[in-house]
Amino acid sequence: MNEIIHMGAGDVLPLLETGPGAELEVGESLHLARLRRAFGLFLTFLNQFSERRLGEVRSAMGLVLQHSLAELADLAAAAHRDMLDRNREPEWVVNLLDLVASLRTMATSLGSGEDDQLKEHWTAFLMEQRDPVRALFAELARDEAGKALVARLNTQMKALNRALQTGQGNPLSAIRNLEALLGGALPESTRLRAEPLLLIQHVIASLRITLFRPLDRGVHWPAVEQIRGSLQWLWNHLGWSLPRVEERLLERNLPSDVRALLKKLREGHPPSFRIVARALVSHLALLSLVERAEPAANASIPQRYASVPTFYVIESELGRLAERVFHPRVADGLPAGSEEALLLGAFLRQAVLSLLQDQATIRGLLLQTLTHEDVDQLAATLDNLRALLLSHQRQLMGDLVGLFSPELRAKLFPDSPSLTEEGDRLRQRLHRLWQYMDPALSQIRLHLELRNWPRLALALAQAQAQVAGFRRSPEFLLIRSVDRVEFERLSSQFARNLDDPPDLEPALEEAADGLGEILRFLDQFLLRINARVPLIRLDLNTSREAQRMGVSLREARGDTPERTRLAHRLIQTTKPLGVRDPQALNLLKRWVRAERSGREVRTQLDALLSHLDRLSTRLEAALS
C-alpha cells in the first residue's frame, strides 16, 4: 500500500496545501471532517475560478457563492455544537461562547458606525439575551477574580450605553472591548478548542455580509477576490489540508484481489505497475469526490446551488487526470511493441477521450443550467452528472483491471455498464421519442390545417413535455456535445414559441414548424447511428473469424499443407480490415514478412492476434 501511494505521490498531493500557520488542536470529529472537506472544496473552486468564466452566469454565480458560504456557516455551527457536546462543557461556557460570537458579528455587521441602527440592535439584543446574560454574570462572580471581571464588564457595558445615548466615544470599539473581556473569561482548554470554530463563523458571517450588495447586480470579481483571500488566510491559519485521496480510502477500495494483481504486476512488469497504480489511485480520488456529492433531487434550493462548486472541482480534476495521469505519453517507457504497451496504450487513449468528453459535458451543462437559473433543471443536471460520472469512472476502472484479469473485473464490477449498454439505452430512448413525435407531428399538421387551435395547443404542449423529459433524462448526457448543443438550440426555440406568446396563432404555427425541425434532427441522428451498424458488425465478424484462424494457425505444427491453407485464409480474411483499421493491415504485413524470413514468426503472429482481440472488443462497444 505504501508503494502504491509512493507511485502516485505526485497525483495524490493535497488539492490545497497546508498553510504555514501552526495547526490548532481541534479533534477531527465527523462534523469537523465535513466542515474541513466542504471548506477545502469551496476554496479549491475559488482558486480555479477566473473572471472570464463568469460570463452569462454572473447572477447565478452570486447565488452559488452566497449559498456555499451559508452551508459552510451551518457546518461550522454544527461542528461547534458537537465540540461542546463531546467535551461536556457547562451551560455557562456555552452561553459565554454564544455571547462572544454575537458581539463579534454585531461589531462586523454594523461596521458603518450608524449610531441609531447600532442602538436599536443593541437594545433588541439585550432584551432578548437578558436572562442568559444575568445567569452568566452570576456564574462568573462566584470567586474574587470573577467578581473583579464582572465589575469591569459592567463598567464596559455602561460605557457602551453612554456612547450610544450621548454619541460620545466609539460604540464599535466599546463592543470589541466587551467581547475581549468576555473572551478572557473562557477556560484556556475551551478557548483552544472553540476559537478556530468561532473564527470560521466570524469570517464567513463577515463575507456573507459583504456579498449582499454585489448580488443586486450579480457577483463581481472584486467580491470573489475578497472571499478567496479571506478564506485562504483562514485555511492557512488553521493549518488544514485537503488530500485528493486518503490512505484509509485506498485500504477500503483496494481489496486483497486487487492488491494481489498489483503485486504480481510489480514483480513481473514494474513499468506497467507504475501506470496501473497511478491510474487506480486517481480513479479512487475522483470517485470519492463524486460519491460524496449528495443527491440534489430532494435537496433545498440553497443546497443545490451549494453543490455547484464541487462539480466545477470535479471538472477541473478530469482535465488534470487526462493531462497528467492518463496521457498516452506515460506509456512511452514500456517496451516497444510488447503486449502490455499495446494494451495500456489503447486503454490510455480511450481513457483520455472519456475524461475530456465528461469534462466538456460538465462545463457545458452547468453553464447552460446556471444561465437559465432554473432550480429544477439544476437538480436534474447535478443528479444526471453524478450518475454519468460514477458510471464512467467504474467503467474505466473495470476496463483497467480487465486488461490483466477479466475474472477480477467481473467480480469487482459486476454491475458496471459497458459502452454497449449505454449506447443501447440512448438508442432506445431516442427511438421512443421518435415513435411519439412522428405520428404526433402528423396530428399537429392536421390541427393546423383545420385551424383547430385548442387541439393544436394541447398537442404541442404534450410534445413539449416529451422533449423536456428527454432533456432531463440521464441518456441525454450520452449524446456528443455537438449534437447535444444542436438539440438544445432546437428545443429551446420550440419552448420559447410556447412560453406566453403575445400573439397565440402565429406562435402555434412557429411551434409546429419547430417541432418539425426537431423530428428532422431525430431522423438524421438515428440514421447516422444506424448507418454505421452494418459496417461495424461486418468488421466485428471479420476480426473474430481472423482471430479464430490465427489461433488455429498458431497451434498448427510443422510446415504442413493444412498450415499453408490456414495462412492463406488468414491473409485473405484480414486484408479487408485494412479499409477502416490500417493497424491490422500493418501487423498482417509484418507477420507475412516474418513468415517469409522465418524469424520471429510467433511474436508477430501473437501481436496480430492481440490486436484482433482488442479490435473485436472495440467494435463490439462501438455498436452502441
Side-chain angles (χ1 to χ4, degrees):
M1 184 64 64
N2 291 333
E3 192 169 352
I4 293 173
I5 296 176
H6 175 71
M7 289 296 178
D11 307 307
V12 299
L13 290 175
L15 290 170
L16 293 170
E17 297 291 346
T18 304
E23 186 170 356
L24 299 176
E25 297 294 331
V26 180
E28 184 80 339
S29 65
L30 176 61
H31 291 278
L32 190 60
R34 291 183 61 192
L35 170 63
R36 177 177 59 82
R37 185 173 182 82
F39 194 142
L41 287 176
F42 182 56
L43 184 55
T44 303
F45 159 72
L46 291 177
N47 287 336
Q48 296 170 351
F49 203 69
S50 61
E51 184 177 13
R52 64 179 180 273
R53 294 184 66 178
L54 281 173
E56 299 177 359
V57 298
R58 190 175 297 272
S59 176
M61 198 54 66
L63 296 175
V64 169
L65 295 178
Q66 188 66 253
H67 293 311
S68 297
L69 289 173
E71 183 185 57
L72 289 180
D74 293 341
L75 291 174
H80 181 71
R81 291 191 299 269
D82 179 67
M83 182 273 295
L84 296 177
D85 291 341
R86 285 190 300 113
N87 291 280
R88 298 177 182 174
E89 299 287 356
E91 185 178 358
W92 72 270
V93 173
V94 176
N95 292 335
L96 179 56
L97 287 169
D98 290 342
L99 182 57
V100 169
S102 300
L103 290 174
R104 282 185 178 179
T105 303
M106 190 179 300
T108 302
S109 60
L110 301 173
S112 61
E114 298 176 1
D115 293 347
D116 292 339
Q117 186 183 17
L118 183 55
K119 180 180 177 181
E120 179 182 344
H121 280 274
W122 175 247
T123 303
F125 175 74
L126 285 183
M127 292 297 296
E128 181 182 350
Q129 299 293 326
R130 179 175 52 188
D131 293 336
V133 169
R134 285 179 178 175
L136 174 62
F137 279 23
E139 183 66 33
L140 290 175
R142 286 183 179 275
D143 53 25
E144 291 302 323
K147 290 179 182 178
L149 175 62
V150 170
R152 291 198 302 272
L153 289 171
N154 284 324
T155 302
Q156 189 62 44
M157 291 187 73
K158 290 178 183 178
L160 173 59
N161 289 328
R162 188 166 52 251
L164 290 172
Q165 294 292 339
T166 63
Q168 297 178 357
N170 189 339
L172 294 178
S173 295
I175 289 179
R176 295 188 183 102
N177 292 335
L178 183 60
E179 179 260 323
L181 286 174
L182 288 169
L186 281 170
E188 185 64 17
S189 60
T190 302
R191 189 188 67 79
L192 289 175
R193 287 191 295 265
E195 187 62 30
L197 297 173
L198 286 176
L199 182 61
I200 292 174
Q201 295 178 75
H202 172 64
V203 171
I204 291 176
S206 304
L207 292 175
R208 292 190 68 198
I209 291 167
T210 62
L211 192 60
F212 272 116
R213 184 169 296 172
L215 270 178
D216 297 338
R217 301 179 300 276
V219 66
H220 59 19
W221 190 244
V224 180
E225 285 291 308
Q226 181 180 359
I227 294 171
R228 174 165 50 195
S230 299
L231 293 184
Q232 186 67 59
W233 171 87
L234 183 56
W235 183 267
N236 294 339
H237 178 72
L238 294 171
W240 285 351
S241 65
L242 181 65
R244 284 192 169 89
V245 63
E246 298 170 350
E247 188 171 354
R248 63 177 180 270
L249 178 68
L250 287 180
E251 293 176 352
R252 186 172 66 249
N253 289 279
L254 291 179
S256 57
D257 294 338
V258 177
R259 296 185 196 182
L261 174 62
L262 291 173
K263 185 177 180 180
K264 183 179 178 181
L265 274 177
R266 183 186 61 185
E267 295 171 352
H269 305 280
S272 299
F273 166 73
R274 285 192 288 270
I275 295 174
V276 174
R278 288 183 65 190
L280 283 177
V281 169
S282 299
H283 274 307
L284 292 175
L286 192 59
L287 272 178
S288 69
L289 281 176
V290 180
E291 288 174 340
R292 296 188 192 188
E294 297 292 333
N298 299 322
S300 62
I301 293 177
Q303 289 172 334
R304 294 175 185 178
Y305 277 106
S307 300
V308 170
T310 301
F311 282 88
Y312 271 113
V313 173
I314 292 171
E315 182 252 342
S316 177
E317 283 292 285
L318 288 171
R320 185 189 69 87
L321 295 183
E323 174 61 26
R324 289 184 52 184
V325 181
F326 296 98
H327 196 282
R329 66 170 173 265
V330 303
D332 292 344
L334 298 175
S338 63
E339 183 177 1
E340 60 186 66
L342 295 174
L343 289 173
L344 284 173
F347 166 77
L348 292 173
R349 287 190 292 273
Q350 180 60 41
V352 167
L353 291 175
S354 178
L355 292 169
L356 294 180
Q357 183 177 359
D358 288 348
Q359 185 186 30
T361 299
I362 293 176
R363 186 186 302 119
L365 288 183
L366 285 181
L367 176 63
Q368 170 196 321
T369 305
L370 292 174
T371 302
H372 294 164
E373 297 188 34
D374 185 339
V375 292
D376 293 330
Q377 185 182 357
L378 176 62
T381 297
L382 294 179
D383 285 342
N384 288 340
L385 284 174
R386 182 176 182 271
L388 176 76
L389 290 167
L390 286 174
S391 173
H392 284 184
Q393 285 303 305
R394 288 169 181 159
Q395 235 177 56
L396 288 175
M397 287 183 68
D399 291 343
L400 178 59
V401 173
L403 291 178
F404 304 96
S405 177
E407 298 80 10
L408 186 57
R409 184 198 197 284
K411 179 181 178 181
L412 294 178
F413 306 96
D415 300 324
S416 178
S418 65
L419 292 175
T420 304
E421 292 168 343
E422 279 195 342
D424 287 341
R425 277 178 23 222
L426 173 61
R427 187 184 292 110
Q428 291 168 10
R429 189 66 186 249
L430 283 168
H431 190 63
R432 286 199 302 270
L433 181 62
W434 181 87
Q435 283 182 318
Y436 174 85
M437 299 279 281
D438 191 37
L441 183 61
S442 301
Q443 289 294 323
I444 286 170
R445 286 172 175 166
L446 178 61
H447 297 325
L448 183 61
E449 184 179 351
L450 297 176
R451 300 294 177 181
N452 191 337
W453 304 115
R455 288 178 179 257
L456 176 60
L458 178 61
L460 287 172
Q462 291 172 343
Q464 183 185 11
Q466 292 289 330
V467 172
F470 174 67
R471 287 178 60 187
R472 291 192 298 268
S473 68
E475 289 78 18
F476 179 65
L477 304 183
L478 302 176
I479 300 179
R480 292 188 311 168
S481 57
V482 176
D483 295 319
R484 189 170 60 245
V485 168
E486 177 64 14
F487 187 83
E488 283 284 355
R489 184 187 68 80
L490 294 174
S491 57
S492 298
Q493 180 63 40
F494 176 57
R496 282 195 295 271
N497 290 329
L498 299 177
D499 187 15
D500 194 19
D503 196 348
L504 183 61
E505 294 181 4
L508 292 178
E509 292 179 357
E510 291 181 11
D513 294 337
L515 192 64
E517 291 290 332
I518 293 176
L519 185 61
R520 278 192 290 274
F521 171 83
L522 291 176
D523 282 333
Q524 295 173 1
F525 190 70
L526 286 171
L527 182 63
R528 193 166 72 246
I529 293 176
N530 294 330
R532 296 173 59 241
V533 171
L535 293 176
I536 294 173
R537 186 170 288 114
L538 172 64
D539 286 349
L540 176 61
N541 294 333
T542 302
S543 62
R544 285 176 175 172
E545 179 65 17
Q547 185 182 13
R548 185 186 63 80
M549 292 179 184
V551 172
S552 300
L553 182 64
R554 186 172 56 186
E555 295 173 352
R557 301 295 181 184
D559 190 9
T560 62
E562 179 64 21
R563 188 183 184 284
T564 304
R565 186 179 63 84
L566 282 174
H568 283 294
R569 288 188 59 191
L570 176 60
I571 294 172
Q572 297 302 318
T573 304
T574 309
K575 279 173 61 177
L577 293 175
V579 176
R580 285 171 290 276
D581 184 49
Q583 181 65 11
L585 189 58
N586 291 334
L587 291 174
L588 179 66
K589 291 178 179 178
R590 292 180 188 175
W591 168 70
V592 171
R593 286 196 295 268
E595 280 279 341
R596 291 173 179 172
S597 63
R599 292 179 296 181
E600 298 183 354
V601 177
R602 183 64 177 264
T603 302
Q604 297 299 334
L605 181 59
D606 288 344
L608 175 61
L609 294 180
S610 178
H611 176 77
L612 291 174
D613 181 51
R614 293 193 305 276
L615 178 62
S616 300
T617 304
R618 291 202 307 270
L619 290 173
E620 187 175 359
L623 283 175
S624 62

